[in-house]
Amino acid sequence: IYSSGSHLLNIINEILDLSRIEAGRYELHEETIRLSDVAEDCERLVKLKAESKGLQLVEDFDPSLPQVWADPRAMRQICLNLLSNALKFTPKGGRITVSIGLMDDGGMFMAVRDTGPGIPKDEIPKVMQAFGQGSLAHENAEGGTGLGLPIAYALARLHGGDLRIDSQKGAGTRVSIILPAADGTPLAEPHIH
């Protein structure tokens, strides 16, 4: 009962978050943060689940990277959503890599790459819609709401950023959020790969 109640509460909170974002009522509380600190916190939260599935969590970032101006709660939610998806779809013995780095234009990215089955190209628009799930989600016993990626994308856009998906069937998935440079230089037109 507790587990079912927690799952239901999580779904309701995701729906409320997306509703607040879409209504323009989600307030960011930005401060200078290190994305590496956010990633390490999130990895600690999913470590036991990763180990129980026999998955390897790998960090690919330099802790001395510059800080970014962002809402820490929103960044944590983005990172957890991306890690949660990777955990769901990566088979036993697989690897999940969290990367953080600088873009050529001075922006910064945080990416989660998995060694799962990948997303067929024609399903990428579907997984980016609220409640949209690809064909592999229906084969996955862990289920989900189909809100993780849309929320991550919406939160990235609130920061002036973007979300990009690089995936192909059988070759894993890499989902990146990109934040603009600290000087406020806007990103190019938003796009999802």
Side-chain angles (χ1 to χ4, degrees), residues 105-159:
D105 64 3
M108 197 173 281
F109 71 85
M110 177 168 48
V112 175
R113 176 187 288 278
D114 64 53
T115 56
I119 305 167
K121 223 173 191 53
D122 62 325
E123 291 186 9
I124 289 177
K126 185 177 182 182
V127 300
M128 287 305 301
Q129 294 171 2
F131 304 105
Q133 295 182 324
S135 55
L136 291 170
H138 302 294
E139 299 165 20
N140 186 330
E142 293 180 52
T145 58
L147 290 171
L149 286 176
I151 288 173
Y153 174 64
L155 290 174
R157 294 300 299 151
L158 279 180
H159 284 83

Side-chain angles (χ1 to χ4, degrees), residues 40-76:
E40 287 169 353
D41 286 349
C42 294
E43 284 173 38
R44 274 193 289 277
L45 291 172
V46 301
K47 189 177 182 184
L48 281 177
K49 186 166 185 176
E51 287 173 355
S52 74
K53 281 190 75 176
L55 302 177
Q56 183 184 8
L57 277 176
V58 179
E59 289 179 355
D60 177 24
F61 49 82
D62 178 352
S64 68
L65 283 165
Q67 293 184 319
V68 293
W69 183 250
D71 181 321
R73 179 182 169 271
M75 289 298 116
R76 205 169 290 111

